[in-house]
Amino acid sequence: MTDSPKKFPFWNIAKIILALILVWFVLSKTDLTQLYALRERISLPWLAVVIVLYFSLTLLKALQYYFLIGRRVDYPQVLNIVVVQNAISNFIATSAGIASYLALFRVEQGVKVSRAALAFLLAKVGDLISIWLFMLVSSLLVWPLVDSFHSLILLSLSFIGAAILGFFAAVFLRQKFVSILAWFVEKLKLSRLGFVNKLMDLLSTLAEQEHGFVFRMVGTGIAFSLIYMAVTMLWLYASLQTFSFDVQFLQVVFVNIFMQLISYLPIQVFGGLGVNETTSLYLYSIFNFPQTKLAAVLIGTRLLFYLTNLAVLLYLPVHTLFFSRSAQKQ
């Protein structure tokens, strides 16, 4: 890392301040009467669906890493790491969750950092391709209703498409592409940035892999990412339905596919607290939803999000108890 010890904490403090400002903004848009009435509008069947879908998302992500790592680690162990990663990402920061993912695979399971990082990269490539496809389809279906977003949609599709093409260029051209990219990085003096150096290391590792292996892994990553994205949209829709919010599924997909893009920006802490709610208020406004009611529902879904994350953490003591007993028997 090229960041000095002084800069890194300052950036984290800045993100926390931003989150608090945005939380205050959402609260200023909230009608306390609407917020109090949420408890009377809770749908228990939809609440059960939310819990099942969120547990399914955790299981799917663990299964994706299990195959991308090459089945070198038992699935329950991978699930344990994913639960820890999600908890740290959602309660602290995404960067801390990624660091825990790499550290746990290296220290507890003996997986090389390069291998775990490559699996993470392939999963993210699958996610980007899923985002591109979902954005394309959902945008086409709501195109007449989102006139003000046409330019943003086209720009986003172009940018994501360029990133995907860059990845496949690295796969096909291998070291030649990495060398050209490294030349541009040096010319633009981007090598001083730690994350750029890490990305270059990942691309170098990727270029060293055989085409057949990479395509198998990319195919696996894309398949899981598409399923994961579909379940994510169902979970988000169910979360809104839990509080009896009248919204169409297609509208949820369109709004939250942009939320997926925003999650890549390094400005979030506490699972996107404040950032997600403010962005949702803005994006849903194009469908003319009442701001006061929507703000109250978003606060409710935020609390539900944290509670379901706490529920998933119950796997950790179960995992520890089960495997400690297995170790004793052996």
Side-chain angles (χ1 to χ4, degrees):
M1 295 289 291
T2 58
D3 298 317
S4 66
K6 293 182 180 179
K7 291 182 181 179
F8 190 66
F10 173 78
W11 178 234
N12 284 337
I13 293 170
K15 289 191 288 186
I16 293 172
I17 293 173
L18 174 63
L20 293 176
I21 292 172
L22 294 179
V23 167
W24 174 83
F25 173 77
V26 174
L27 289 174
S28 69
K29 297 287 185 179
T30 306
D31 185 346
L32 294 179
T33 305
Q34 293 281 355
L35 190 60
Y36 184 76
L38 276 183
R39 61 177 187 173
E40 298 177 359
R41 299 205 302 265
I42 293 176
S43 169
L44 293 180
W46 278 112
L47 177 60
V49 172
V50 168
I51 295 172
V52 171
L53 288 176
Y54 193 77
F55 273 74
S56 300
L57 286 171
T58 307
L59 294 171
L60 278 170
K61 183 55 65 176
L63 198 59
Q64 184 181 36
Y65 284 141
Y66 171 69
F67 282 103
L68 291 177
I69 288 290
R71 293 180 284 184
R72 301 180 183 185
V73 181
D74 291 338
Y75 177 74
Q77 302 283 7
V78 178
L79 180 58
N80 186 68
I81 292 173
V82 169
V83 169
V84 173
Q85 177 192 355
N86 285 346
I88 295 175
S89 296
N90 294 329
F91 288 111
I92 303 176
T94 303
S95 57
I98 296 171
S100 70
Y101 157 86
L102 295 173
L104 288 172
F105 267 117
R106 177 69 185 93
V107 176
E108 292 190 358
Q109 306 303 325
V111 177
K112 292 181 179 180
V113 173
S114 59
R115 178 66 182 182
L118 182 60
F120 183 82
L121 175 64
L122 293 174
K124 287 303 176 184
V125 170
D127 292 345
L128 271 181
I129 293 174
S130 300
I131 289 172
W132 191 88
L133 289 172
F134 272 75
M135 182 179 291
L136 177 64
V137 174
S138 63
S139 297
L140 287 174
L141 293 175
V142 299
W143 191 257
L145 304 176
V146 292
D147 293 342
S148 59
F149 279 79
H150 287 178
S151 297
L152 179 60
I153 293 168
L154 294 174
L155 181 63
S156 300
L157 288 172
S158 301
F159 182 79
I160 298 170
I164 294 170
L165 288 175
F167 169 81
F168 282 106
V171 173
F172 282 108
L173 300 178
R174 301 164 76 86
Q175 291 297 344
K176 184 177 180 181
F177 174 82
V178 175
S179 298
I180 295 172
L181 187 60
W183 183 81
F184 277 105
V185 167
E186 288 297 327
K187 284 293 182 181
L188 297 174
K189 297 182 180 180
L190 297 176
S191 57
R192 293 176 294 181
L193 301 176
F195 76 92
V196 173
N197 291 327
K198 290 182 178 180
L199 179 60
M200 291 302 301
D201 291 339
L202 273 176
L203 290 176
S204 296
T205 302
L206 178 67
E208 294 170 358
Q209 310 299 320
E210 295 181 358
H211 284 163
F213 167 80
V214 174
F215 287 131
R216 285 196 303 272
M217 292 297 98
V218 169
T220 300
I222 293 172
F224 276 106
S225 290
L226 285 171
I227 298 171
Y228 187 88
M229 192 65 68
V231 177
T232 297
M233 296 305 164
L234 290 171
W235 164 65
L236 291 166
Y237 176 75
S239 297
L240 293 173
Q241 293 300 315
T242 299
F243 298 100
S244 304
F245 188 70
D246 187 17
V247 61
Q248 297 178 13
F249 179 71
L250 187 58
Q251 294 169 335
V252 173
V253 174
F254 177 79
V255 169
N256 284 283
I257 207 65
F258 281 97
M259 300 292 293
Q260 297 294 319
L261 278 183
I262 291 173
S263 68
Y264 282 80
L265 300 177
I267 59 173
Q268 301 189 21
V269 289
F270 314 134
L273 178 65
V275 176
N276 289 353
E277 287 75 19
T278 303
T279 308
S280 293
L281 278 175
Y282 171 70
L283 292 174
Y284 276 116
S285 66
I286 62 176
F287 298 113
N288 299 318
F289 289 107
Q291 293 271 296
T292 54
K293 183 178 180 180
L294 177 59
V297 170
L298 291 174
I299 292 173
T301 56
R302 169 61 61 175
L303 294 174
L304 181 58
F305 172 71
Y306 285 142
L307 289 173
T308 48
N309 270 274
L310 289 173
V312 171
L313 285 176
L314 293 174
Y315 175 76
L316 298 180
V318 173
H319 173 271
T320 301
L321 181 63
F322 175 79
F323 279 95
S324 41
R325 283 185 176 179
S326 298
Q328 288 176 358
K329 289 180 181 179
Q330 290 177 359

